Amino acid sequence: MDDSMLEDEPGSKKACQTPSRKADEFDLTSSKRLYRSQSESSVTIKHAMEQKHNDPMLIGDCSRQYVLPLMNGRHHDLKEISGDTLIKLINGEYRVSYTLIDCRYPFEYAGGHIRGAINLYTEAQVHKQFFENKQPNSLGLEPEILIFHCEFSVERGPRMCRSFRDWDRNANLDKFPSLYYPEMYVLYRGYKGFYENHPSYCIPEKYMKMLDDSEQLRFYKSKCKTEVVKSKSKSVPTLKTGRSFTIKKFVI
């Protein structure tokens, strides 16, 4: 939603230069429409915030609770699942559509990855895969669940998850709190923890550490710094006091 003021707002210097009654009436009507739109958005956002406060188990668009059981991890702003839960998901015990995103570098992925995982390690890759040419869900299908992880799920995976939600919020700013992908998780302890307990679900059954290949590490770290998505977080008015609520800061 564009929350900028109208160019010819009544009382502005430009409006005073053209004191047409018809023009004044148009500006007044437009201003009322703008303020009414802002007020409606404020109510919607305030209601969503209250819902999340009263029930932290609601997914990002506040439509329902999380499907997968959660565990206490190290990221208070993210939802984390255990390797055992992922095994059940892989085995079809949860009838949901999901995508497992391995945010490690390609040489790590090639050295062993979780069955069914896709390797996307730069912001540009992830954004292109999930947001470019994104079509509205006109069939009413349940959005797919996304699960992020890296080697330990300490830095790369969680960071990508947060950036992803930022892009999604901005893409649906005019329909807040709607999201393309409202249900996202981070795999607790990452690939290392999963491999230690479930090596048979890894292809190949190996574990390549990030620090095992310093030359490739330097190359892919440099590539990640260049393939970024520049996304400015937008703000919309929420309260009659004039305060603003930044969509990016809304609880994931």
Side-chain angles (χ1 to χ4, degrees), residues 219-237:
F219 172 79
Y220 287 114
K221 285 187 70 174
S222 176
K223 191 173 183 180
C224 282
K225 293 179 180 179
T226 59
E227 295 189 15
V228 296
V229 176
K230 296 182 179 180
S231 176
K232 294 183 179 180
S233 181
K234 304 177 182 178
S235 297
V236 293

Side-chain angles (χ1 to χ4, degrees), residues 12-19:
S12 66
K13 188 173 182 180
K14 185 175 181 180
C16 291
Q17 293 174 350
T18 56

Side-chain angles (χ1 to χ4, degrees), residues 55-70:
D55 188 356
M57 291 300 294
L58 291 177
I59 60 176
D61 62 1
C62 303
S63 62
R64 58 172 174 76
Q65 292 190 330
Y66 284 89
V67 171
L68 304 180
L70 305 176

